[in-house]
Amino acid sequence: MSEDTGHDATHEITHPDGIREISTSALKGLAHPLRMAIYDALSTQGPQTATGLAKRLGESSGATSYHLRQLARHQLIREVEGERSGREKWWERIPGAMKVPGPERELDPSARTASSYVNREFVRNAQRNFEHFIDAAYDGQRMPKSWIAASVSETSNLRLTKEQLAEIAAEFERTTMTFINKYRGRNDPGSRPVQIQFNAFPLTDGEETPS
């Protein structure tokens, strides 16, 4: 799934392809319900203030302000330079993809618990976003037909070896990320927040074909 970098929260490795590997300390710092919600909101909606996040998430601005500072301390988000609403700061997710260590990595017990929680929340948030889109698509007042027509959901069912699955996943990541990266950091006229999802995984109730 992902790779871990160690225990220093100030040491994040940036790969040539722009993927940052989260440190174990930062992983543990992220493993908190409100911090995950804040991180997801900044990822999907763009820069926000503590007050704006409080309204969006149903929390107090004092709580969102505190957890924003904690996320920034772990180098997961940053203040938007030159942007303020009066005395209030604007915050943004640090650009680029971020790897989170998965169950295939050797982690200490607390880091493994944090990894499980963070990865589960990413999956839940992605699924929730897709379900909200489906609901909105059937409500003519919430989602224009032109945006529905521009969207797609694809599912393929195959029998694969683990090597074949890894090959498809690697090729998909290589080709799609090359294209997607063309649009990172842009805010063109007529654009709106969009989330692109792709899942490739073995079904838990399936059986491996004997050799």
Side-chain angles (χ1 to χ4, degrees), residues 44-111:
T44 58
Q45 303 298 322
Q48 307 275 318
T49 64
T51 299
L53 285 165
K55 292 179 180 178
R56 177 179 293 276
L57 302 175
E59 298 284 344
S60 70
S61 58
T64 55
S65 180
Y66 169 78
H67 289 293
L68 281 165
R69 292 194 301 272
Q70 296 306 306
L71 289 169
R73 185 170 70 87
H74 288 293
Q75 298 183 351
L76 296 168
I77 67 171
R78 66 189 181 187
E79 183 180 353
V80 181
E81 294 185 7
E83 290 289 337
R84 282 180 177 264
S85 294
R87 299 177 58 185
E88 193 167 20
K89 301 176 181 178
W90 283 82
W91 299 90
E92 66 180 356
R93 179 190 185 278
I94 293 178
M98 180 185 72
K99 284 189 176 182
V100 176
E104 78 281 7
R105 299 293 296 176
E106 292 295 329
L107 301 169
D108 66 69
S110 60

Short mmCIF file of all heavy atoms in Angstrom, two decimals, residues 44-111:
data_model
loop_
_atom_site.label_atom_id
_atom_site.label_comp_id
_atom_site.label_asym_id
_atom_site.label_seq_id
_atom_site.Cartn_x
_atom_site.Cartn_y
_atom_site.Cartn_z
N THR A 44 -10.27 18.08 -0.40
CA THR A 44 -11.34 18.09 -1.39
C THR A 44 -11.84 19.48 -1.72
O THR A 44 -12.25 19.74 -2.86
CB THR A 44 -12.52 17.24 -0.91
OG1 THR A 44 -12.99 17.74 0.35
CG2 THR A 44 -12.12 15.79 -0.75
N GLN A 45 -11.82 20.40 -0.75
CA GLN A 45 -12.42 21.71 -0.95
C GLN A 45 -11.41 22.83 -1.14
O GLN A 45 -11.79 23.95 -1.50
CB GLN A 45 -13.33 22.06 0.24
CG GLN A 45 -14.43 21.05 0.49
CD GLN A 45 -15.38 20.93 -0.67
OE1 GLN A 45 -15.71 21.92 -1.32
NE2 GLN A 45 -15.83 19.71 -0.97
N GLY A 46 -10.14 22.56 -0.87
CA GLY A 46 -9.14 23.61 -1.00
C GLY A 46 -8.97 24.40 0.28
O GLY A 46 -9.50 24.03 1.33
N PRO A 47 -8.23 25.51 0.23
CA PRO A 47 -7.91 26.29 1.42
C PRO A 47 -9.15 26.70 2.22
O PRO A 47 -10.18 27.04 1.65
CB PRO A 47 -7.19 27.51 0.86
CG PRO A 47 -6.58 27.03 -0.42
CD PRO A 47 -7.60 26.07 -0.98
N GLN A 48 -9.01 26.65 3.55
CA GLN A 48 -10.11 26.98 4.46
C GLN A 48 -9.54 27.71 5.67
O GLN A 48 -8.36 27.60 5.99
CB GLN A 48 -10.81 25.70 4.96
CG GLN A 48 -11.29 24.76 3.88
CD GLN A 48 -12.64 25.13 3.34
OE1 GLN A 48 -13.54 25.49 4.09
NE2 GLN A 48 -12.79 25.06 2.03
N THR A 49 -10.41 28.43 6.36
CA THR A 49 -10.07 29.03 7.65
C THR A 49 -10.59 28.14 8.76
O THR A 49 -11.43 27.26 8.53
CB THR A 49 -10.67 30.43 7.80
OG1 THR A 49 -12.11 30.31 7.81
CG2 THR A 49 -10.25 31.35 6.66
N ALA A 50 -10.13 28.40 9.97
CA ALA A 50 -10.63 27.63 11.11
C ALA A 50 -12.13 27.83 11.27
O ALA A 50 -12.87 26.89 11.58
CB ALA A 50 -9.89 28.05 12.38
N THR A 51 -12.61 29.06 11.05
CA THR A 51 -14.04 29.35 11.17
C THR A 51 -14.83 28.63 10.10
O THR A 51 -15.90 28.04 10.37
CB THR A 51 -14.30 30.86 11.08
OG1 THR A 51 -13.62 31.52 12.15
CG2 THR A 51 -15.78 31.17 11.16
N GLY A 52 -14.34 28.65 8.85
CA GLY A 52 -15.02 27.96 7.77
C GLY A 52 -15.09 26.47 8.00
O GLY A 52 -16.13 25.84 7.75
N LEU A 53 -14.02 25.89 8.50
CA LEU A 53 -14.00 24.46 8.79
C LEU A 53 -14.94 24.13 9.94
O LEU A 53 -15.60 23.09 9.93
CB LEU A 53 -12.57 24.02 9.13
CG LEU A 53 -11.61 23.88 7.95
CD1 LEU A 53 -10.18 23.80 8.44
CD2 LEU A 53 -11.96 22.65 7.12
N ALA A 54 -15.00 25.00 10.93
CA ALA A 54 -15.90 24.78 12.07
C ALA A 54 -17.35 24.70 11.61
O ALA A 54 -18.10 23.83 12.03
CB ALA A 54 -15.72 25.90 13.10
N LYS A 55 -17.74 25.60 10.70
CA LYS A 55 -19.11 25.58 10.17
C LYS A 55 -19.35 24.33 9.35
O LYS A 55 -20.40 23.70 9.44
CB LYS A 55 -19.35 26.83 9.33
CG LYS A 55 -19.37 28.13 10.13
CD LYS A 55 -19.58 29.33 9.22
CE LYS A 55 -19.60 30.63 10.01
NZ LYS A 55 -19.76 31.81 9.11
N ARG A 56 -18.38 23.95 8.53
CA ARG A 56 -18.53 22.78 7.66
C ARG A 56 -18.62 21.50 8.48
O ARG A 56 -19.39 20.58 8.12
CB ARG A 56 -17.34 22.70 6.70
CG ARG A 56 -17.36 21.48 5.79
CD ARG A 56 -16.14 21.49 4.85
NE ARG A 56 -16.22 22.59 3.91
CZ ARG A 56 -16.91 22.55 2.77
NH1 ARG A 56 -17.57 21.46 2.43
NH2 ARG A 56 -16.92 23.59 1.98
N LEU A 57 -17.84 21.40 9.56
CA LEU A 57 -17.73 20.15 10.31
C LEU A 57 -18.57 20.13 11.58
O LEU A 57 -18.58 19.12 12.29
CB LEU A 57 -16.26 19.90 10.66
CG LEU A 57 -15.30 19.81 9.46
CD1 LEU A 57 -13.87 19.68 9.95
CD2 LEU A 57 -15.68 18.64 8.56
N GLY A 58 -19.26 21.23 11.88
CA GLY A 58 -20.09 21.26 13.08
C GLY A 58 -19.27 21.27 14.36
O GLY A 58 -19.68 20.67 15.37
N GLU A 59 -18.13 21.95 14.33
CA GLU A 59 -17.26 22.04 15.50
C GLU A 59 -17.07 23.50 15.90
O GLU A 59 -17.50 24.41 15.19
CB GLU A 59 -15.89 21.41 15.18
CG GLU A 59 -15.93 19.95 14.83
CD GLU A 59 -16.12 19.07 16.04
OE1 GLU A 59 -15.92 19.57 17.17
OE2 GLU A 59 -16.46 17.88 15.88
N SER A 60 -16.41 23.73 17.01
CA SER A 60 -16.08 25.10 17.41
C SER A 60 -14.82 25.54 16.67
O SER A 60 -13.97 24.72 16.31
CB SER A 60 -15.84 25.18 18.91
OG SER A 60 -14.63 24.52 19.26
N SER A 61 -14.69 26.84 16.44
CA SER A 61 -13.50 27.35 15.75
C SER A 61 -12.26 27.16 16.61
O SER A 61 -11.15 27.01 16.09
CB SER A 61 -13.68 28.83 15.40
OG SER A 61 -13.93 29.61 16.56
N GLY A 62 -12.44 27.13 17.94
CA GLY A 62 -11.30 26.87 18.82
C GLY A 62 -10.75 25.47 18.60
O GLY A 62 -9.53 25.28 18.56
N ALA A 63 -11.65 24.49 18.41
CA ALA A 63 -11.21 23.11 18.18
C ALA A 63 -10.53 22.98 16.82
O ALA A 63 -9.46 22.36 16.71
CB ALA A 63 -12.40 22.17 18.26
N THR A 64 -11.13 23.55 15.78
CA THR A 64 -10.52 23.43 14.45
C THR A 64 -9.18 24.17 14.40
O THR A 64 -8.23 23.70 13.77
CB THR A 64 -11.46 23.96 13.35
OG1 THR A 64 -11.85 25.30 13.66
CG2 THR A 64 -12.69 23.07 13.23
N SER A 65 -9.10 25.30 15.07
CA SER A 65 -7.85 26.06 15.10
C SER A 65 -6.74 25.25 15.76
O SER A 65 -5.60 25.20 15.26
CB SER A 65 -8.05 27.38 15.85
OG SER A 65 -6.84 28.13 15.88
N TYR A 66 -7.05 24.61 16.87
CA TYR A 66 -6.06 23.80 17.58
C TYR A 66 -5.57 22.65 16.70
O TYR A 66 -4.36 22.42 16.57
CB TYR A 66 -6.65 23.24 18.88
CG TYR A 66 -5.77 22.20 19.53
CD1 TYR A 66 -4.64 22.58 20.25
CD2 TYR A 66 -6.05 20.84 19.40
CE1 TYR A 66 -3.81 21.62 20.83
CE2 TYR A 66 -5.23 19.88 19.98
CZ TYR A 66 -4.11 20.28 20.69
OH TYR A 66 -3.29 19.33 21.25
N HIS A 67 -6.49 21.92 16.07
CA HIS A 67 -6.10 20.76 15.28
C HIS A 67 -5.43 21.16 13.97
O HIS A 67 -4.60 20.40 13.45
CB HIS A 67 -7.31 19.86 15.04
CG HIS A 67 -7.75 19.14 16.28
ND1 HIS A 67 -6.98 18.17 16.90
CD2 HIS A 67 -8.87 19.29 17.04
CE1 HIS A 67 -7.61 17.73 17.97
NE2 HIS A 67 -8.76 18.39 18.08
N LEU A 68 -5.75 22.34 13.45
CA LEU A 68 -5.01 22.85 12.30
C LEU A 68 -3.54 23.06 12.66
O LEU A 68 -2.64 22.70 11.89
CB LEU A 68 -5.63 24.16 11.82
CG LEU A 68 -6.90 24.05 10.98
CD1 LEU A 68 -7.60 25.41 10.90
CD2 LEU A 68 -6.58 23.54 9.58
N ARG A 69 -3.30 23.60 13.82
CA ARG A 69 -1.92 23.82 14.26
C ARG A 69 -1.18 22.50 14.43
O ARG A 69 0.02 22.39 14.12
CB ARG A 69 -1.87 24.63 15.55
CG ARG A 69 -2.35 26.08 15.40
CD ARG A 69 -1.97 26.92 16.62
NE ARG A 69 -2.53 26.41 17.85
CZ ARG A 69 -3.72 26.73 18.32
NH1 ARG A 69 -4.50 27.57 17.64
NH2 ARG A 69 -4.15 26.25 19.48
N GLN A 70 -1.88 21.48 14.93
CA GLN A 70 -1.25 20.17 15.11
C GLN A 70 -0.91 19.54 13.76
O GLN A 70 0.16 18.95 13.58
CB GLN A 70 -2.16 19.25 15.90
CG GLN A 70 -2.42 19.71 17.33
CD GLN A 70 -1.14 19.95 18.09
OE1 GLN A 70 -0.27 19.07 18.19
NE2 GLN A 70 -0.98 21.15 18.64
N LEU A 71 -1.81 19.66 12.80
CA LEU A 71 -1.54 19.13 11.46
C LEU A 71 -0.37 19.87 10.82
O LEU A 71 0.46 19.26 10.13
CB LEU A 71 -2.79 19.26 10.58
CG LEU A 71 -3.96 18.34 10.93
CD1 LEU A 71 -5.21 18.76 10.18
CD2 LEU A 71 -3.61 16.88 10.61
N ALA A 72 -0.29 21.18 11.04
CA ALA A 72 0.82 21.96 10.49
C ALA A 72 2.13 21.56 11.16
O ALA A 72 3.18 21.50 10.50
CB ALA A 72 0.56 23.45 10.69
N ARG A 73 2.08 21.28 12.45
CA ARG A 73 3.30 20.87 13.16
C ARG A 73 3.87 19.58 12.58
O ARG A 73 5.09 19.38 12.57
CB ARG A 73 2.98 20.68 14.66
CG ARG A 73 4.19 20.35 15.52
CD ARG A 73 3.84 20.42 16.99
NE ARG A 73 2.97 19.34 17.39
CZ ARG A 73 3.42 18.13 17.77
NH1 ARG A 73 4.73 17.88 17.78
NH2 ARG A 73 2.58 17.19 18.14
N HIS A 74 2.99 18.73 12.07
CA HIS A 74 3.43 17.47 11.48
C HIS A 74 3.66 17.59 9.96
O HIS A 74 3.83 16.59 9.28
CB HIS A 74 2.40 16.37 11.74
CG HIS A 74 2.37 15.91 13.17
ND1 HIS A 74 3.42 15.23 13.75
CD2 HIS A 74 1.41 16.04 14.13
CE1 HIS A 74 3.11 14.95 15.00
NE2 HIS A 74 1.91 15.43 15.26
N GLN A 75 3.65 18.84 9.47
CA GLN A 75 3.94 19.12 8.06
C GLN A 75 2.96 18.42 7.11
O GLN A 75 3.33 17.97 6.03
CB GLN A 75 5.38 18.72 7.71
CG GLN A 75 6.41 19.50 8.50
CD GLN A 75 7.84 19.17 8.09
OE1 GLN A 75 8.08 18.24 7.33
NE2 GLN A 75 8.78 19.93 8.60
N LEU A 76 1.70 18.35 7.54
CA LEU A 76 0.65 17.78 6.70
C LEU A 76 -0.13 18.88 5.98
O LEU A 76 -0.69 18.65 4.91
CB LEU A 76 -0.29 16.92 7.53
CG LEU A 76 0.36 15.68 8.16
CD1 LEU A 76 -0.57 15.06 9.19
CD2 LEU A 76 0.70 14.66 7.08
N ILE A 77 -0.19 20.06 6.60
CA ILE A 77 -0.82 21.22 6.00
C ILE A 77 0.08 22.43 6.23
O ILE A 77 1.08 22.33 6.95
CB ILE A 77 -2.23 21.49 6.60
CG1 ILE A 77 -2.10 21.91 8.07
CG2 ILE A 77 -3.13 20.27 6.45
CD1 ILE A 77 -3.39 22.40 8.67
N ARG A 78 -0.27 23.55 5.64
CA ARG A 78 0.53 24.76 5.83
C ARG A 78 -0.36 25.99 5.70
O ARG A 78 -1.44 25.93 5.12
CB ARG A 78 1.65 24.83 4.80
CG ARG A 78 1.16 25.00 3.36
CD ARG A 78 2.28 24.85 2.37
NE ARG A 78 1.80 25.05 0.99
CZ ARG A 78 2.55 24.84 -0.09
NH1 ARG A 78 3.79 24.40 0.03
NH2 ARG A 78 2.04 25.06 -1.30
N GLU A 79 0.11 27.10 6.26
CA GLU A 79 -0.60 28.37 6.12
C GLU A 79 -0.43 28.88 4.70
O GLU A 79 0.64 28.76 4.10
CB GLU A 79 -0.06 29.39 7.11
CG GLU A 79 -0.79 30.71 7.08
CD GLU A 79 -0.23 31.72 8.07
OE1 GLU A 79 0.64 31.34 8.88
OE2 GLU A 79 -0.66 32.89 8.03
N VAL A 80 -1.51 29.43 4.14
CA VAL A 80 -1.45 30.01 2.80
C VAL A 80 -0.80 31.38 2.92
O VAL A 80 -1.35 32.28 3.57
CB VAL A 80 -2.85 30.14 2.17
CG1 VAL A 80 -2.75 30.73 0.77
CG2 VAL A 80 -3.53 28.78 2.12
N GLU A 81 0.35 31.55 2.33
CA GLU A 81 1.09 32.81 2.45
C GLU A 81 0.33 33.96 1.81
O GLU A 81 -0.20 33.85 0.70
CB GLU A 81 2.46 32.67 1.80
CG GLU A 81 3.39 31.68 2.51
CD GLU A 81 4.77 31.66 1.89
OE1 GLU A 81 5.04 32.51 1.01
OE2 GLU A 81 5.57 30.80 2.28
N GLY A 82 0.26 35.07 2.54
CA GLY A 82 -0.36 36.27 2.00
C GLY A 82 -1.87 36.28 2.03
O GLY A 82 -2.50 37.20 1.50
N GLU A 83 -2.49 35.23 2.61
CA GLU A 83 -3.95 35.15 2.65
C GLU A 83 -4.44 35.17 4.10
O GLU A 83 -4.04 34.35 4.91
CB GLU A 83 -4.45 33.86 1.97
CG GLU A 83 -4.27 33.84 0.47
CD GLU A 83 -5.22 34.79 -0.23
OE1 GLU A 83 -6.27 35.13 0.35
OE2 GLU A 83 -4.90 35.22 -1.36
N ARG A 84 -5.30 36.13 4.41
CA ARG A 84 -5.93 36.20 5.72
C ARG A 84 -7.33 36.76 5.59
O ARG A 84 -7.61 37.56 4.69
CB ARG A 84 -5.12 37.08 6.69
CG ARG A 84 -3.89 36.39 7.28
CD ARG A 84 -3.14 37.30 8.23
NE ARG A 84 -2.00 36.61 8.83
CZ ARG A 84 -2.03 36.03 10.01
NH1 ARG A 84 -3.15 36.05 10.73
NH2 ARG A 84 -0.97 35.42 10.51
N SER A 85 -8.22 36.33 6.49
CA SER A 85 -9.55 36.92 6.61
C SER A 85 -9.54 37.72 7.90
O SER A 85 -9.80 37.18 8.98
CB SER A 85 -10.63 35.84 6.64
OG SER A 85 -10.69 35.15 5.41
N GLY A 86 -9.22 39.01 7.79
CA GLY A 86 -9.00 39.80 8.99
C GLY A 86 -7.75 39.29 9.68
O GLY A 86 -6.66 39.30 9.10
N ARG A 87 -7.90 38.78 10.88
CA ARG A 87 -6.77 38.23 11.62
C ARG A 87 -6.68 36.71 11.48
O ARG A 87 -5.77 36.09 12.01
CB ARG A 87 -6.89 38.59 13.10
CG ARG A 87 -6.88 40.09 13.38
CD ARG A 87 -7.09 40.37 14.86
NE ARG A 87 -6.07 39.74 15.68
CZ ARG A 87 -6.07 39.75 17.01
NH1 ARG A 87 -7.08 40.35 17.65
NH2 ARG A 87 -5.13 39.17 17.70
N GLU A 88 -7.63 36.13 10.74
CA GLU A 88 -7.69 34.67 10.65
C GLU A 88 -6.86 34.13 9.49
O GLU A 88 -6.91 34.66 8.37
CB GLU A 88 -9.14 34.20 10.51
CG GLU A 88 -9.32 32.72 10.73
CD GLU A 88 -10.78 32.34 10.89
OE1 GLU A 88 -11.66 33.10 10.46
OE2 GLU A 88 -11.03 31.26 11.45
N LYS A 89 -6.14 33.06 9.74
CA LYS A 89 -5.29 32.43 8.73
C LYS A 89 -6.10 31.53 7.80
O LYS A 89 -7.11 30.97 8.19
CB LYS A 89 -4.20 31.58 9.41
CG LYS A 89 -3.28 32.33 10.34
CD LYS A 89 -2.32 31.37 11.02
CE LYS A 89 -1.41 32.08 11.99
NZ LYS A 89 -0.49 31.12 12.69
N TRP A 90 -5.60 31.40 6.58
CA TRP A 90 -6.09 30.39 5.65
C TRP A 90 -5.10 29.24 5.65
O TRP A 90 -3.88 29.46 5.70
CB TRP A 90 -6.22 30.97 4.24
CG TRP A 90 -7.43 31.83 4.05
CD1 TRP A 90 -7.57 33.14 4.40
CD2 TRP A 90 -8.68 31.43 3.50
NE1 TRP A 90 -8.82 33.59 4.10
CE2 TRP A 90 -9.53 32.57 3.54
CE3 TRP A 90 -9.17 30.24 2.97
CZ2 TRP A 90 -10.84 32.54 3.07
CZ3 TRP A 90 -10.47 30.20 2.49
CH2 TRP A 90 -11.30 31.34 2.55
N TRP A 91 -5.61 28.02 5.59
CA TRP A 91 -4.77 26.83 5.63
C TRP A 91 -5.02 25.99 4.38
O TRP A 91 -6.13 25.96 3.85
CB TRP A 91 -5.07 25.99 6.87
CG TRP A 91 -4.81 26.70 8.16
CD1 TRP A 91 -5.69 27.47 8.87
CD2 TRP A 91 -3.59 26.71 8.89
NE1 TRP A 91 -5.09 27.96 10.00
CE2 TRP A 91 -3.80 27.51 10.05
CE3 TRP A 91 -2.33 26.12 8.69
CZ2 TRP A 91 -2.81 27.73 10.99
CZ3 TRP A 91 -1.35 26.34 9.63
CH2 TRP A 91 -1.57 27.14 10.76
N GLU A 92 -3.99 25.28 3.94
CA GLU A 92 -4.12 24.39 2.79
C GLU A 92 -3.35 23.11 3.03
O GLU A 92 -2.37 23.07 3.79
CB GLU A 92 -3.61 25.06 1.51
CG GLU A 92 -2.11 25.34 1.52
CD GLU A 92 -1.63 26.00 0.23
OE1 GLU A 92 -2.44 26.17 -0.70
OE2 GLU A 92 -0.43 26.34 0.16
N ARG A 93 -3.80 22.05 2.38
CA ARG A 93 -3.07 20.78 2.37
C ARG A 93 -1.80 20.97 1.57
O ARG A 93 -1.80 21.63 0.53
CB ARG A 93 -3.95 19.71 1.73
CG ARG A 93 -3.32 18.34 1.63
CD ARG A 93 -4.22 17.46 0.76
NE ARG A 93 -3.78 16.09 0.67
CZ ARG A 93 -2.84 15.66 -0.16
NH1 ARG A 93 -2.23 16.51 -0.96
NH2 ARG A 93 -2.51 14.38 -0.19
N ILE A 94 -0.69 20.42 2.04
CA ILE A 94 0.55 20.50 1.29
C ILE A 94 0.36 19.74 -0.02
O ILE A 94 -0.08 18.58 -0.01
CB ILE A 94 1.73 19.93 2.10
CG1 ILE A 94 2.01 20.85 3.30
CG2 ILE A 94 2.97 19.79 1.23
CD1 ILE A 94 3.11 20.38 4.20
N PRO A 95 0.62 20.37 -1.16
CA PRO A 95 0.33 19.76 -2.47
C PRO A 95 1.09 18.45 -2.70
O PRO A 95 2.14 18.21 -2.10
CB PRO A 95 0.79 20.83 -3.47
CG PRO A 95 0.78 22.10 -2.70
CD PRO A 95 1.17 21.73 -1.30
N GLY A 96 0.54 17.63 -3.59
CA GLY A 96 1.19 16.38 -3.96
C GLY A 96 0.60 15.18 -3.25
O GLY A 96 -0.07 15.29 -2.23
N ALA A 97 0.88 14.01 -3.82
CA ALA A 97 0.39 12.76 -3.24
C ALA A 97 1.17 12.42 -1.97
O ALA A 97 2.34 12.75 -1.84
CB ALA A 97 0.53 11.62 -4.24
N MET A 98 0.50 11.76 -1.03
CA MET A 98 1.13 11.37 0.23
C MET A 98 0.91 9.89 0.46
O MET A 98 -0.21 9.40 0.36
CB MET A 98 0.53 12.16 1.40
CG MET A 98 1.14 11.82 2.75
SD MET A 98 0.33 12.67 4.11
CE MET A 98 -1.25 11.80 4.18
N LYS A 99 1.99 9.16 0.75
CA LYS A 99 1.89 7.73 1.05
C LYS A 99 1.70 7.52 2.54
O LYS A 99 2.34 8.15 3.37
CB LYS A 99 3.16 7.02 0.60
CG LYS A 99 3.26 6.79 -0.90
CD LYS A 99 4.43 5.89 -1.23
CE LYS A 99 4.49 5.56 -2.72
NZ LYS A 99 5.60 4.64 -3.04
N VAL A 100 0.79 6.60 2.85
CA VAL A 100 0.56 6.20 4.24
C VAL A 100 0.95 4.74 4.36
O VAL A 100 0.54 3.92 3.54
CB VAL A 100 -0.92 6.39 4.62
CG1 VAL A 100 -1.18 5.88 6.03
CG2 VAL A 100 -1.32 7.85 4.50
N PRO A 101 1.75 4.36 5.35
CA PRO A 101 2.15 2.96 5.48
C PRO A 101 0.96 2.05 5.69
O PRO A 101 0.00 2.41 6.38
CB PRO A 101 3.08 2.96 6.70
CG PRO A 101 2.69 4.17 7.46
CD PRO A 101 2.30 5.19 6.44
N GLY A 102 0.99 0.88 5.08
CA GLY A 102 -0.09 -0.08 5.18
C GLY A 102 0.32 -1.32 5.96
O GLY A 102 1.41 -1.36 6.55
N PRO A 103 -0.52 -2.35 5.97
CA PRO A 103 -0.27 -3.55 6.78
C PRO A 103 0.92 -4.37 6.29
O PRO A 103 1.36 -5.27 7.01
CB PRO A 103 -1.58 -4.33 6.65
CG PRO A 103 -2.18 -3.86 5.37
CD PRO A 103 -1.82 -2.41 5.27
N GLU A 104 1.43 -4.08 5.09
CA GLU A 104 2.58 -4.82 4.60
C GLU A 104 3.90 -4.35 5.22
O GLU A 104 4.93 -4.99 5.08
CB GLU A 104 2.66 -4.72 3.06
CG GLU A 104 3.22 -3.40 2.51
CD GLU A 104 2.20 -2.28 2.52
OE1 GLU A 104 1.10 -2.47 3.08
OE2 GLU A 104 2.51 -1.21 2.00
N ARG A 105 3.85 -3.22 5.93
CA ARG A 105 5.06 -2.65 6.54
C ARG A 105 5.23 -3.14 7.98
O ARG A 105 4.26 -3.45 8.67
CB ARG A 105 5.00 -1.13 6.53
CG ARG A 105 4.91 -0.52 5.14
CD ARG A 105 6.18 -0.75 4.36
NE ARG A 105 7.29 -0.07 4.99
CZ ARG A 105 8.55 -0.16 4.56
NH1 ARG A 105 8.84 -0.94 3.54
NH2 ARG A 105 9.51 0.49 5.16
N GLU A 106 6.49 -3.20 8.42
CA GLU A 106 6.79 -3.53 9.81
C GLU A 106 6.66 -2.25 10.63
O GLU A 106 7.45 -1.32 10.46
CB GLU A 106 8.20 -4.11 9.93
CG GLU A 106 8.36 -5.48 9.30
CD GLU A 106 7.53 -6.55 10.00
OE1 GLU A 106 7.32 -6.42 11.23
OE2 GLU A 106 7.08 -7.49 9.32
N LEU A 107 5.67 -2.19 11.50
CA LEU A 107 5.41 -1.01 12.30
C LEU A 107 5.29 -1.39 13.76
O LEU A 107 4.88 -2.50 14.08
CB LEU A 107 4.12 -0.32 11.84
CG LEU A 107 4.03 0.15 10.39
CD1 LEU A 107 2.59 0.55 10.07
CD2 LEU A 107 4.98 1.30 10.14
N ASP A 108 5.61 -0.44 14.65
CA ASP A 108 5.38 -0.70 16.07
C ASP A 108 3.87 -0.70 16.30
O ASP A 108 3.09 -0.19 15.48
CB ASP A 108 6.10 0.34 16.93
CG ASP A 108 5.54 1.74 16.75
OD1 ASP A 108 4.40 2.00 17.17
OD2 ASP A 108 6.26 2.59 16.18
N PRO A 109 3.41 -1.29 17.40
CA PRO A 109 1.96 -1.45 17.62
C PRO A 109 1.16 -0.15 17.50
O PRO A 109 0.09 -0.14 16.90
CB PRO A 109 1.88 -2.04 19.03
CG PRO A 109 3.17 -2.81 19.17
CD PRO A 109 4.19 -1.97 18.46
N SER A 110 1.66 0.94 18.08
CA SER A 110 0.90 2.19 18.03
C SER A 110 0.85 2.75 16.61
O SER A 110 -0.17 3.30 16.19
CB SER A 110 1.49 3.23 18.99
OG SER A 110 2.84 3.52 18.65
N ALA A 111 1.95 2.61 15.86
CA ALA A 111 1.97 3.07 14.47
C ALA A 111 1.05 2.22 13.61
O ALA A 111 0.38 2.72 12.70
CB ALA A 111 3.39 3.05 13.92
#
